[in-house]
Each structure stands twice: as structure tokens, then as C-alpha cells.
Amino acid sequence: MVAGLIVLAAVLAAASAVGVGIRARSGRFRPRTSLPGLSPTTVTQDGPGQARSPAGDQLTVADLGAALGERATLVQFSTEFCRYCGPTRELLAEVAGARDGVALIEVDAARRLDLARRLNVLSTPTVFVLRPDGSIAQRASGLPRKSDVLAALGSVLGGGAS
């Protein structure tokens, strides 16, 4: 009986630790340097200390069905039953609308499974920040904070998100 309680407590502790880890990563942007299956040696430098996505990690007008922004593009993958997609869409629209040359494109992951698989989109919302040429600079899964979106966008716009 006591051994069973110890095992139960250990399982609950492990599950809690995993949950806290997943929650901490949700909505956080991270640099995007390559896709699974692509050689990391194809990554080029965009400038001093800035890794740039490989050519196969570039999105086009044909991929997205809409024009890219002149300075940057925010791409949101969402689904019909996504809990955080609406608030994420509103946040991204606010940020994109306040900056010249920044476009927002929403992609229905269920209708574009080919693109979602190619980009390894495993949950929605997933947000990509694209450079003007369509290469992926950063990505986040989950509901991002406005400050994180501004910082990720600032990395593409050149130091500031204005």
C-alpha cells in the first residue's frame, strides 16, 4: 500500500514537471535555422552573428496564397477549433497594423496539411516571423505575449519593431 502511494506521488511529480516545462515554452519565439531533414550546413549568415534559414526553409506567395510584407510577414497557422487562435490573430493584426511593410497571413492548418507538415506545425496557433524574402526568422507555438512578438519582429526589422 505504501509502495503504491510512493509510486503515485512520483508519477504526479513527474507529470507536473513535464506540464510546467511545456507551459513555459508555450508562446515563446525561438530562432528557426533549419527544418528536419535539411542539412545544418546549408544555413548561411544574414549578418554578424545572425543565422539565416536555408533556401528550402523559405515561404513564397504560392505557398501562402497572399503577398509577403515589404519588411516582414507574420504567418499564423490556425484551426477551426483552436482555443488561442482568435486572441493570437487579434494580437498579430494589432502589431502588423501598427508597422509599415508588415503583413499578416493566416493559414488554415487543416486545409494546408502539406505546408503544416513541411514546417513541422504540431499545434495551433503556430506563428512564424518571416524576413522580406520569405525565409523563416523565428517561430512560436501557443499564445504569444505582445512583447515577444515585438522582439521577434524587431529582429527582422533591424533592432526595433517600429
Side-chain angles (χ1 to χ4, degrees):
M1 179 82 160
V2 173
L5 289 175
I6 292 173
V7 170
L8 177 63
V11 168
L12 287 175
S16 295
V18 169
V20 167
I22 289 171
R23 179 81 171 159
R25 290 189 61 192
S26 180
R28 301 292 170 106
F29 281 92
R30 56 193 182 278
R32 184 73 174 164
T33 55
S34 66
L35 286 172
L38 291 178
S39 168
T41 59
T42 61
V43 177
T44 60
Q45 293 296 314
D46 205 19
Q50 291 184 328
R52 182 161 182 220
S53 301
D57 200 6
Q58 191 168 22
L59 299 175
T60 65
V61 172
D63 291 327
L64 300 172
L68 299 173
E70 292 177 20
R71 295 175 64 207
T73 304
L74 299 171
V75 178
Q76 176 185 342
F77 279 79
S78 56
T79 55
E80 186 176 344
F81 299 103
C82 170
R83 178 178 179 185
Y84 296 115
C85 289
T88 300
R89 180 183 318 108
E90 292 170 10
L91 171 65
L92 298 178
E94 176 187 335
V95 170
R99 280 138 191 88
D100 292 333
V102 177
L104 170 60
I105 300 172
E106 187 170 4
V107 177
D108 185 338
R111 293 185 184 180
R112 290 300 314 273
L113 283 175
D114 61 322
L115 189 57
R117 287 183 181 132
R118 178 177 139 200
L119 298 173
N120 200 28
V121 174
L122 301 176
S123 64
T124 58
T126 294
V127 178
F128 292 92
V129 179
L130 306 182
R131 295 180 185 91
D133 65 357
S135 61
I136 298 170
Q138 297 199 34
R139 74 177 284 162
S141 296
L143 178 62
R145 296 181 309 195
K146 185 175 184 177
S147 61
D148 291 337
V149 174
L150 292 172
L153 192 55
S155 73
V156 171
L157 297 179
S162 55

